[in-house]
Amino acid sequence: MTGGTEVVVFPEAEDLTATVATRLLAAVAAAQAAKGTASLVLTGGRTGIAVLEAVRTAASAVDWSTVDIYWGDERFLPAGNPERNETQARAALLDHVPVDQARVHPMAPSDGRFGDDPDAAAAAYAELLGESPEFDVLLVGVGEEGHTLSVFPDSPAVHSTDVVVAVRDCPKPPPTRVSLTLSTARLASQVWLMTTGAAKAEAVGKALAGVPEAEIPAAGARGRDATVWFLDEAAAAEVKQD
């Protein structure tokens, strides 16, 4: 579905995670077949980590040594903190597959080489990515108020065209984060948005109805070639059907 938006609805969250995992492995294999490598941008959250755990059960389907791993956003906390997306992704998948560690690109922790300076951490990640990074699949979640990545409604980050930004005063803890911007997310070939639960229904409905991204940032997360929303029935309750 080149340039289009696909909405896939599942009866239960478990069905969603299993299908996303299968499709993700297929997307990685397809990218490797086409160009020899694949690049993924991972997310955190309950659904995002559940998908990685499901990928782990069939991980042998792809060659992990030629997969580049990035993160869409990160909690600016010390290395190894259990709330960091990197920590959770390693426990769910990356510590269990033969990934080339040189191809794993976490965002800097708050006790890393930049110290407690999220702006320096963001600048370093932007330098790593370059001005126009391209990813095969970018995975993101959606918050109850419509945030995606760590881009919240009517925040400085939602208006930024930088590649990566430091985010302060997040309405959800922890307050300091590092995040790709929506303009960077839109460089990905495919953007997959995953969310479950009735609490997300209003934000999902508004995003798919075309509400401005300053109000619902998830509305601005779109892929160059395809955008896919993976929802359970509760989260899809306010999606208007054609």
Side-chain angles (χ1 to χ4, degrees), residues 1 24 30 37 48 60 64 79 96 98 108 113 118-119 123 144 155 163 175 178-179 196 203 241:
M1 184 179 294
L24 187 60
T37 64
S60 60
W64 289 97
H96 308 279
R113 63 191 180 103
D119 292 295
E144 294 178 9
S155 65
V163 176
V178 177
S179 180
T196 62
Q241 302 296 326

XYZ file of all heavy atoms in Angstrom, residues 1 24 30 37 48 60 64 79 96 98 108 113 118-119 123 144 155 163 175 178-179 196 203 241:
173
model
N 0.855 -1.184 0.000
C 0.000 0.000 0.000
C 0.896 1.240 0.000
O 1.136 1.880 1.004
C -0.907 0.000 1.226
C -1.896 1.150 1.259
S -2.957 1.064 2.720
C -3.865 -0.450 2.373
N 6.880 -8.017 11.282
C 8.175 -7.367 11.438
C 9.302 -8.263 10.946
O 10.214 -7.803 10.244
C 8.388 -6.992 12.899
C 9.629 -6.145 13.198
C 9.585 -4.828 12.447
C 9.766 -5.897 14.696
N 12.568 -9.092 4.013
C 12.391 -8.467 2.706
C 13.444 -7.390 2.458
O 13.999 -7.286 1.359
C 10.988 -7.870 2.603
N 20.764 -5.489 4.088
C 20.643 -5.070 5.479
C 19.212 -4.618 5.754
O 18.424 -4.433 4.827
C 21.591 -3.903 5.812
O 21.212 -2.755 5.027
C 23.039 -4.265 5.521
N 4.988 -2.332 22.781
C 6.234 -2.414 22.029
C 7.155 -3.512 22.532
O 7.758 -4.246 21.734
N 14.965 -16.736 14.666
C 15.872 -17.387 13.725
C 15.456 -17.198 12.268
O 16.190 -17.574 11.355
C 15.963 -18.880 14.037
O 14.689 -19.496 13.931
N 20.303 -11.643 12.095
C 20.404 -10.477 12.966
C 21.737 -9.755 12.836
O 21.871 -8.612 13.257
C 20.156 -10.891 14.411
C 18.726 -11.244 14.620
C 18.169 -12.485 14.598
C 17.640 -10.325 14.817
N 16.803 -12.414 14.772
C 16.454 -11.099 14.913
C 17.552 -8.950 14.928
C 15.205 -10.518 15.108
C 16.315 -8.364 15.127
C 15.158 -9.145 15.217
N 22.327 4.348 32.659
C 22.439 3.095 31.917
C 21.971 1.930 32.768
O 22.279 1.846 33.961
C 23.886 2.880 31.486
N 19.238 -11.871 23.301
C 18.948 -13.274 22.986
C 19.113 -13.612 21.509
O 18.836 -14.744 21.113
C 17.518 -13.603 23.426
C 17.233 -13.220 24.849
N 17.617 -14.007 25.919
C 16.631 -12.120 25.367
C 17.248 -13.402 27.042
N 16.648 -12.266 26.737
N 21.740 -13.031 17.858
C 23.129 -12.717 17.498
C 23.262 -11.399 16.742
O 23.765 -11.333 15.621
C 23.527 -13.915 16.628
C 22.248 -14.358 16.000
C 21.194 -14.143 17.049
N 22.149 7.981 24.436
C 23.028 8.066 25.605
C 22.225 8.135 26.902
O 21.183 8.788 26.967
C 23.921 9.294 25.494
N 28.685 9.531 28.512
C 29.785 10.458 28.220
C 29.354 11.914 28.128
O 30.195 12.810 28.172
C 30.505 10.037 26.934
C 29.688 10.074 25.662
C 30.448 9.385 24.552
N 29.736 9.372 23.282
C 30.016 10.177 22.274
N 30.973 11.080 22.389
N 29.344 10.087 21.136
N 20.843 16.376 28.345
C 20.054 15.757 27.282
C 20.233 16.433 25.930
O 20.069 15.788 24.895
C 18.615 15.891 27.792
C 18.650 17.043 28.737
C 20.001 16.999 29.379
N 20.578 17.723 25.917
C 20.802 18.396 24.635
C 22.027 17.821 23.930
O 22.009 17.604 22.712
C 20.980 19.903 24.849
C 19.705 20.569 25.315
O 18.730 20.587 24.539
O 19.659 21.049 26.464
N 22.076 15.862 20.410
C 22.952 16.284 19.317
C 23.817 15.138 18.819
O 24.047 14.982 17.610
C 23.820 17.458 19.773
N -2.356 8.144 25.727
C -3.762 8.485 25.909
C -4.096 9.880 25.405
O -5.219 10.120 24.945
C -4.128 8.368 27.399
C -4.062 6.942 27.922
C -4.387 6.849 29.399
O -4.825 7.870 29.968
O -4.200 5.768 29.973
N 3.827 20.811 22.409
C 5.113 20.912 23.100
C 6.152 21.462 22.126
O 5.932 21.469 20.907
C 5.550 19.530 23.585
O 5.792 18.684 22.463
N 16.459 16.887 13.807
C 16.452 15.432 13.666
C 16.107 14.763 14.994
O 15.270 13.856 15.064
C 17.813 14.933 13.139
C 17.840 13.404 13.078
C 18.099 15.520 11.762
N 10.519 13.044 33.466
C 10.253 14.293 32.748
C 11.235 14.631 31.642
O 10.917 15.436 30.763
C 10.308 15.342 33.869
C 11.205 14.738 34.900
C 10.930 13.265 34.852
N 14.957 11.969 25.392
C 15.543 12.294 24.091
C 14.669 11.618 23.047
O 14.256 10.467 23.229
C 16.999 11.805 23.992
C 17.572 12.080 22.611
C 17.865 12.476 25.068
N 14.368 12.315 21.954
C 13.403 11.768 21.005
C 13.694 12.200 19.577
O 14.134 13.324 19.320
C 11.991 12.240 21.390
O 11.012 11.740 20.494
N -3.247 -0.236 22.378
C -4.391 -1.034 22.825
C -5.106 -0.318 23.962
O -4.529 0.528 24.643
C -3.941 -2.421 23.323
O -3.076 -2.250 24.458
C -3.209 -3.200 22.232
N -7.872 9.419 21.198
C -6.686 9.914 20.501
C -6.511 9.230 19.153
O -6.178 9.876 18.151
C -5.448 9.706 21.366
N -15.446 4.353 10.185
C -15.355 3.383 9.100
C -15.851 4.016 7.807
O -16.796 4.799 7.805
C -16.201 2.159 9.436
C -15.814 1.470 10.724
C -14.419 0.878 10.679
O -13.967 0.419 9.638
N -13.731 0.881 11.811
